[in-house]
Amino acid sequence: SLPFGIGQIGKSYRNEISPGNFIFRTREFDQMELQWFCEEDDAKHWYEHWISTCEEFLTGTLGLRPDSIRVRAHVDDELAHYARATSDIEFCFPSFGWGELWGIANRGTHDLSCHSKASNENLAFDLGNAKVKTMPVVIEPAVGLNRLLLAMLCDAYEVEQVQSADGSKSNPRTVLHLKRDMAPITVAVFPLSGKQDDQLNICHQIHQHVIEWGYSIVDTKGNIGKRYRRHDEIGTPYCVTADFESASDNCVTVRDRDSMKQIRIPIPAFETKKTLYEAIDKGFQN
């Protein structure tokens, strides 16, 4: 029955005359699209529904800032010959301004009508009334995965000035403010001293917990400050340090990437994402 949708992801190819702007415009890219089939009378509703749903995905799921995107409806002379209406969700890229990120089109009955004509098969949909069949309207949200990635990186990237402990000078800190569920590494675990076996054992214990539900790494290279900066740059939301007290109090220090604040959290909290995020959110609110 209508409505229903078919989603797919695959390679797309375009004969771009002037590719550029890094991976924004390329001749080969990964594309995700949905073909949403609905009744004629419901087409306007579903067209508006998918515009708002795609917006919510960008800001809610991916974490893009709401002021970095906008919806722009195509005027009549921009519309493709098959389209009844098209809107682009655009992102404001720092180097070249607004550019199309996600297109949502009301393609009308063009697709199935053409298929019917070429195949000599009637693709009209029987809605249960033998006297009336309807040709479904297609609403198509389509987005390039490469552009999504580029938008996420641009939106999250920042070089900020951080004051030294004594306030005498400031130093640049490069940080990727990725939403914590979008970060390539959820938790980076450090021993305060790489020569202490008990600290390393705790690090590997936490690592084993986290990889059951997320992404983790045990990092022992360089001093603690360099580890923090390295993981700020790749967007790791939480850096965890096992120190000289961890073996006795069964707690570790968690550092938040964005605020750089630190709290103590019990090691068992790392067993699930839910218990860890609850402990972290509660700790940083206090």
Side-chain angles (χ1 to χ4, degrees), residues 17-235:
I17 298 174
S18 56
N21 291 326
F22 192 37
I23 59 173
F24 178 80
R25 192 178 303 281
T26 57
R27 295 190 174 99
E28 177 183 341
F29 56 95
D30 293 288
Q31 182 161 327
M32 302 184 292
E33 64 180 25
L34 174 69
Q35 306 291 323
W36 186 258
F37 301 89
C38 62
E39 295 184 53
E40 182 78 47
D41 292 343
D42 296 332
K44 183 176 184 295
H45 161 74
W46 286 113
Y47 174 66
E48 294 172 350
H49 166 84
W50 284 112
I51 292 174
S52 62
T53 298
C54 294
E55 276 191 283
E56 172 58 29
F57 177 81
L58 292 172
T59 57
T61 302
L62 298 188
L64 298 185
R65 291 176 292 108
D67 61 354
S68 68
I69 63 172
R70 70 182 183 187
V71 177
R72 187 184 67 83
H74 286 205
V75 296
D76 289 344
D77 61 359
E78 288 183 283
L79 290 174
H81 67 279
Y82 54 78
R84 296 178 180 177
T86 298
S87 290
D88 290 339
I89 301 178
E90 298 180 330
F91 178 81
C92 189
F93 292 91
S95 58
F96 56 90
W98 293 100
E100 178 191 347
L101 188 60
W102 206 324
I104 301 94
N106 179 345
R107 299 176 65 95
T109 60
H110 173 81
D111 299 288
L112 293 182
S113 296
C114 289
H115 283 306
S116 291
K117 183 178 180 180
S119 63
N120 292 320
E121 291 287 341
N122 184 5
L123 298 179
F125 207 87
D126 186 352
L127 297 177
N129 186 339
K131 295 182 180 180
V132 179
K133 288 188 175 183
T134 182
M135 189 68 77
V137 172
V138 175
I139 308 299
E140 181 191 62
V143 60
L145 183 57
N146 308 50
R147 290 188 181 183
L148 275 185
L149 175 62
L150 181 60
M152 285 177 60
L153 293 176
C154 290
D155 201 57
Y157 180 81
E158 181 184 12
V159 179
E160 62 180 18
Q161 296 296 318
V162 179
Q163 291 292 324
S164 60
D166 60 6
S168 60
K169 61 178 181 178
S170 62
N171 297 304
R173 180 177 81 118
T174 301
V175 58
L176 207 57
H177 298 285
L178 294 172
K179 192 174 180 181
R180 62 187 178 187
D181 288 332
M182 293 293 106
I185 297 174
T186 313
V187 174
V189 193
F190 313 148
L192 187 60
S193 172
K195 297 179 181 180
Q196 298 292 320
D197 289 340
D198 58 340
Q199 293 180 18
L200 283 170
N201 290 338
I202 291 171
C203 289
H204 287 291
Q205 177 187 348
I206 292 173
H207 172 70
Q208 290 301 318
H209 285 324
V210 175
I211 61 174
E212 293 294 324
W213 54 264
Y215 299 94
S216 173
I217 186 173
V218 177
D219 192 343
T220 61
K221 296 180 180 178
N223 61 45
I224 194 77
K226 290 182 178 179
R227 296 175 204 166
Y228 283 153
R229 290 295 183 264
R230 186 159 59 243
H231 284 276
D232 289 342
E233 289 183 355
I234 62 173

Side-chain angles (χ1 to χ4, degrees), residues 249-284:
D249 67 5
N250 205 33
C251 292
V252 289
T253 299
V254 176
R255 173 191 180 266
D256 178 71
R257 174 198 64 208
D258 296 335
S259 67
M260 296 186 289
K261 294 180 179 179
Q262 300 183 9
I263 57 173
R264 298 285 284 180
I265 285 182
I267 294 172
F270 290 86
E271 292 181 1
T272 69
K273 180 195 287 188
K274 182 176 184 292
T275 55
L276 177 61
Y277 284 3
E278 285 178 351
I280 286 175
D281 292 342
K282 181 180 179 181
F284 283 116

